[in-house]
């Protein structure tokens, strides 16, 4: 975003504290868009044009109009203060690139699970892998103008513990994306202070159904 650095002094080449955050989620939920909107530097993107060859392996339900996709990761940076910076990584969404996720999770402070409420089932793998790694996370519902769901409906569909923050956002908007990251940082701080139940992730894992529930029918465009 051209104006992202207009109100900020030149960035230092190095920082004493580098904090790593990962944005994960299903294919086409807005991970690249979020990194682009909030990064104060020109983000690194590994987007490639989608081809007919990928149609046989990628699940395009609900994202048929998408023309490009992340094949490695997105990277952005946010300065917190004179000595600390936040490094933001966006993970690829297609199943054939999921093998990269375990590497991206290494050294991660926490994660944002970005979801499209029209395709909630696409978020289960991200939540499962974060719980497997013991990585704290929050869930952010990106606004695609789909049907409205109550917070309880979304929590039940994703088997989320009440201790996992759930927020709404517009990944295209910088202030909205910043709010998501602030919510994550506040959640991590609460965890570090012991003010959030330590069994939250285990509770969510225990209640997640072994078989996928029926999808809520999507509205006809």
């Amino acid at each position: 975003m051209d104006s992202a650095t207009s109100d900020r002094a030149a960035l230092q080449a190095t920082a004493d504290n580098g904090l790593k955050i990962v944005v994960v989620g299903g294919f086409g939920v807005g991970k690249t868009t979020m990194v682009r909107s909030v990064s104060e530097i020109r983000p690194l993107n590994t987007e490639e044009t989608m081809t007919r060859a990928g149609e046989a392996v990628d699940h395009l339900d609900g994202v048929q109009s998408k023309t490009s996709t992340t094949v490695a990761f997105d990277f952005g940076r946010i300065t917190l203060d004179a000595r600390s910076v936040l490094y933001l990584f966006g993970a690829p969404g297609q199943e054939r690139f999921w093998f990269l996720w375990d590497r991206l999770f290494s050294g991660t402070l926490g994660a944002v699970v970005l979801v499209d409420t029209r395709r909630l089932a696409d978020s289960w793998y991200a939540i499962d892998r974060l719980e497997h790694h013991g990585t704290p996370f929050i869930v952010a519902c990106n606004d695609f103008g789909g049907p409205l769901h109550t917070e309880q409906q979304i929590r039940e569909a994703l088997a989320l513990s009440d201790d996992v923050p759930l927020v709404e956002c517009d990944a295209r908007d910088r202030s909205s994306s910043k709010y998501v990251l602030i919510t994550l940082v506040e959640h991590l701080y609460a965890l570090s202070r012991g003010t959030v139940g330590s069994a939250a992730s285990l509770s969510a894992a225990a209640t997640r159904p072994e078989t996928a529930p029926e999808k809520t029918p999507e509205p006809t465009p």
Side-chain angles (χ1 to χ4, degrees), residues 123-134:
S123 305
W124 293 337
Y125 181 80
I127 293 173
D128 177 75
R129 296 313 299 167
L130 289 169
E131 290 176 345
H132 173 77
H133 284 272

Side-chain angles (χ1 to χ4, degrees), residues 51-121:
T51 65
R52 291 188 177 276
E55 293 180 358
V57 292
D58 293 330
H59 301 289
L60 302 180
D61 293 345
V63 288
Q64 291 88 343
S65 62
K66 192 169 173 60
T67 59
S68 62
T69 184
T70 299
V71 297
F73 60 85
D74 304 307
F75 173 77
R77 167 177 161 154
I78 304 168
T79 298
L80 301 179
D81 55 39
R83 304 182 61 181
S84 302
V85 296
L86 187 69
Y87 296 123
L88 193 61
F89 290 81
Q94 299 105 304
E95 184 174 352
R96 57 192 167 115
F97 296 127
W98 284 352
F99 70 92
L100 295 169
W101 286 23
D102 288 348
R103 294 293 184 91
L104 285 177
F105 291 163
S106 177
T108 296
L109 187 66
V112 173
V113 178
L114 196 61
V115 305
D116 177 353
T117 56
R118 302 170 303 174
R119 299 179 289 123
L120 286 172

Side-chain angles (χ1 to χ4, degrees), residues 19-22 86 105-111 134-137 184-185 188:
L19 309 175
K20 180 180 178 183
I21 298 295
V22 174
L86 187 69
F105 291 163
S106 177
T108 296
L109 187 66
T135 303
F137 66 92
L184 174 60
V185 171
L188 296 174

Side-chain angles (χ1 to χ4, degrees), residues 170-201:
D170 183 341
R172 301 166 298 180
D173 182 75
R174 186 168 189 257
S175 61
S176 182
S177 295
K178 286 175 63 178
Y179 170 73
V180 171
L181 298 180
I182 290 171
T183 301
L184 174 60
V185 171
E186 290 177 342
H187 179 56
L188 296 174
Y189 180 73
L191 288 172
S192 71
R193 296 295 298 271
T195 56
V196 175
S198 59
S201 62

